[in-house]
Amino acid sequence: MARLQPQSKTVLAWGLWLATFACCAAGLVVTLAVTRPLTVGVLADGAIYALAFPLGYATVGLVLGLRRPANPIGWLYAASGLCWSSIIPLAPWVDLLFREHRPLPLVAQLAAMASELLWAPAVAFGVTLPALLLPDGRLRSRRWRVVVVAVVAGITMFLGAGLLAGTTSGTPVPVGNPLGLAGAPLAVATAIAYTGLGLHFASLPAALVCLLLRFRSSRGVERQQLRWVVAGAGAAVVLLLLPLSELLGSWKDGVAVLCVPVSVGVAVLRYRLWDLDRLVSRTVTYALVTALLAVPYVLILPAATRLAGGSGSLAVAAATLAAAALFQPLRRRVQDLVDRRFNRRRYDAARTVDRFAVRLRDQIDLDALRAELLAVVDQTVQPTQASLWLRAPAATRPSR
């Protein structure tokens, strides 16, 4: 990518995204044409898949390709989205042929084979290789080139031998393979496909270990970038584990999938990196406050109901007002505790400013005030250089 001209990189980035979008649009057209019965649930599932995998990764890849073209992570995301989307256009038609037990023509057989094999490069481009290159697009050291070679070799072996052997992930492809071999060549191709699959699976935990080691040794801006990645991965795990299906429905998995590429995009672009502490502290604060307010509300409501003599509306209003009255003091107390744990820099700066405000009321020495003010600015803002200019009083100004 470094040898391409900026205009060529822009055209390539948009071309990859438009190709992904075209595949998703073609899949929608085929779905509308062949799927019966066509329900809202079918369209919703297709939209979730398209937004989470192809378009989600392709959009992050487009933004990174336009804003950080020298970083290969954006191009890897764009390639991952294109791999996910390439199986979409013919998938509804192939599914229809399977359900109706009709013979598959050559194009349908190749499409079925592609859907069984293309997940491997999509995962490698979207997860394994970006984990090795985060956040600056370079390997942690030359020793990790072995993992990159393993990823590339594993994908190549799995795709090439898988097409010839007609096997994927240890199970035969449920369609006739027009490219399949027989006899001894089939045994060789199968062994190569399994070897490539093993390399592919082994490289993923190795890439995650590389990311963990880089996070432990990171400092400064790189530390903030990797914290965003860790936060995105943590949010994805929480969404996948928590029982939120009734609240979010099938969108839960789509949101979880998008957490990682979006957080990686923020980290690579370095956009508002220092707001992560504030975001985490606010999330933890309101989660704790909501949980704590539920307890007094539940305790107050039965008592208010009995006192109101069966007046349900009055009891509910009284309980709501009592909970609202407790909210602000409780929120401030919890916010103070959370800031002390998650946002220590903001907490220390606030305490420093408060102490300076107390001393300011009793300070009458201008030179001492100037020194204290510069010290407070240095502790809270931490500028590279600070100076204070005080305008002389009107009585002492030189006359013109």
Side-chain angles (χ1 to χ4, degrees):
M1 295 298 173
R3 297 180 180 179
L4 294 178
Q5 297 296 324
Q7 186 177 2
S8 300
K9 294 179 182 179
T10 301
V11 172
L12 179 59
W14 277 107
L16 292 172
W17 188 88
L18 289 175
T20 303
F21 181 81
C23 290
C24 296
L28 176 60
V29 172
V30 175
T31 300
L32 296 175
V34 305
T35 302
R36 297 293 182 274
L38 185 62
T39 61
V40 176
V42 172
L43 295 176
D45 291 339
I48 293 171
Y49 176 83
L51 292 175
F53 288 98
L55 288 178
Y57 277 81
T59 301
V60 175
L62 172 65
V63 174
L64 295 182
L66 295 176
R67 300 294 299 275
R68 296 288 188 272
N71 194 318
I73 295 177
W75 305 109
L76 291 171
Y77 274 167
S80 178
L82 187 59
C83 289
W84 286 119
S85 67
S86 60
I87 64 176
I88 292 179
L90 297 179
W93 175 51
V94 175
D95 292 340
L96 176 65
L97 296 178
F98 273 122
R99 289 196 304 268
E100 296 180 353
H101 303 285
R102 294 163 55 184
L104 273 66
L106 177 60
V107 176
Q109 293 178 19
L110 294 177
M113 287 293 301
S115 65
E116 295 289 339
L117 297 175
L118 285 179
W119 64 268
V123 172
F125 295 149
V127 180
T128 309
L129 292 175
L132 290 168
L133 299 174
L134 281 168
D136 56 2
R138 294 189 294 268
L139 293 174
R140 187 168 184 265
S141 65
R142 293 184 177 181
R143 292 177 295 180
W144 293 98
R145 291 180 179 179
V146 177
V147 182
V148 177
V149 173
V151 174
V152 176
I155 294 173
T156 304
M157 295 166 64
F158 178 69
L159 289 178
L163 284 174
L164 297 177
T167 58
T168 64
S169 306
T171 59
V173 176
V175 295
N177 181 11
L179 304 177
L181 301 176
L186 173 61
V188 174
T190 302
I192 295 175
Y194 277 121
T195 303
L197 191 62
L199 289 174
H200 176 66
F201 282 143
S203 62
L204 180 57
L208 297 179
V209 170
C210 175
L211 182 61
L212 177 61
L213 293 176
R214 193 191 290 262
F215 178 78
R216 292 184 60 183
S217 61
S218 61
R219 297 292 184 273
V221 174
E222 185 182 62
R223 181 79 170 189
Q224 293 296 324
Q225 291 176 285
L226 294 178
R227 288 182 67 190
W228 267 98
V229 178
V230 172
V237 172
V238 170
L239 286 174
L240 292 175
L241 295 181
L242 288 181
L244 299 175
S245 298
E246 296 183 358
L247 179 62
L248 298 177
S250 55
W251 290 95
K252 176 174 74 78
D253 296 336
V255 174
V257 169
L258 285 178
C259 285
V260 175
V262 170
S263 63
V264 169
V266 174
V268 173
L269 293 175
R270 299 184 180 184
Y271 178 72
R272 301 178 71 88
L273 292 177
W274 303 97
D275 286 349
L276 179 60
D277 289 331
R278 186 175 182 85
L279 178 63
V280 172
S281 66
R282 287 295 182 269
T283 302
V284 174
T285 297
Y286 284 103
L288 291 176
V289 169
T290 302
L292 292 174
L293 285 179
V295 176
Y297 186 83
V298 172
L299 296 177
I300 293 173
L301 183 58
T305 303
R306 288 195 297 269
L307 291 176
S311 179
S313 300
L314 182 59
V316 173
T320 303
L321 291 175
L326 293 173
F327 178 79
Q328 289 301 329
L330 182 62
R331 187 198 66 79
R332 285 192 292 268
R333 184 63 181 270
V334 173
Q335 181 68 63
D336 187 68
L337 294 175
V338 173
D339 282 342
R340 190 179 305 176
R341 174 62 181 87
F342 292 96
N343 199 0
R344 187 71 194 185
R345 176 174 296 183
R346 176 183 179 273
Y347 176 80
D348 293 339
R351 300 287 81 77
T352 302
V353 172
D354 290 342
R355 289 193 297 268
F356 175 72
V358 173
R359 295 195 304 270
L360 183 61
R361 291 195 297 264
D362 302 326
Q363 185 61 260
I364 58 175
D365 187 352
L366 189 59
D367 293 334
L369 177 62
R370 176 180 179 274
E372 288 192 20
L373 180 58
L374 291 176
V376 169
V377 171
D378 181 68
Q379 293 178 26
T380 56
V381 185
Q382 297 182 355
T384 57
Q385 182 179 357
S387 59
L388 177 63
W389 175 76
L390 297 176
R391 187 174 63 176
T396 59
R397 291 181 191 172
S399 57
R400 295 183 179 179

